[in-house]
Amino acid sequence: MIDTKMLKAEQEFNEIHDSYVIFITASDVMGAGCSLYHIDRVIKETGAYFGDGSHIIYVNGSYKDDSDPIGKLMHDFRCLSSVDMFYPALAKQVRYFKETEGGQNIMCQVFDDLAEKRAEKRAEEARIEEKKAFARR
């Protein structure tokens, strides 16, 4: 489905760009202690790289190494304050959303919307359970 979104009508498949799906996980899901895990498709029978331009990258969110760019980024993701961050661009955005009235208003709205959606979902689940209980009776 990702590939179809990258092609325009009448465009040839070989014109498609490489695609990258990046998962930032809370822990080391692969268990090898690496900061990144690059996953590409391989033909099982031959061991040859498939080369379709599809790439998956898992980022180990628990990785800690302040001398490594990924380690610094994961450090910044865990920071509660922008002053403790390594990357200025990320620190600037965190500072805006956490320390300015405009940013705090945006974040409050986002959380209010999320809470409303959760409440609606729970209400719908309760209605379904109520209907199931009625049907069982």
Side-chain angles (χ1 to χ4, degrees), residues 81-93:
S81 172
S82 62
V83 298
D84 298 326
M85 297 178 136
F86 289 107
Y87 290 106
L90 186 56
K92 179 181 176 185
Q93 292 301 308

Side-chain angles (χ1 to χ4, degrees), residues 63-125:
Y63 183 73
K64 294 179 181 176
D65 182 351
D66 291 351
S67 67
D68 176 83
I70 297 298
K72 287 180 179 179
L73 183 62
M74 293 305 99
H75 168 272
D76 285 2
F77 280 9
R78 289 187 295 271
C79 279
L80 300 177
S81 172
S82 62
V83 298
D84 298 326
M85 297 178 136
F86 289 107
Y87 290 106
L90 186 56
K92 179 181 176 185
Q93 292 301 308
V94 168
R95 191 175 309 105
Y96 172 73
F97 285 111
K98 286 187 152 193
E99 300 170 17
T100 68
E101 187 176 341
Q104 290 171 350
N105 289 340
I106 291 169
M107 292 306 294
C108 286
Q109 185 60 52
V110 167
F111 278 100
D112 287 347
D113 293 348
L114 181 61
E116 186 177 320
K117 286 179 185 176
R118 279 190 128 176
E120 289 171 1
K121 182 179 177 184
R122 287 185 178 156
E124 179 61 24
E125 290 170 352

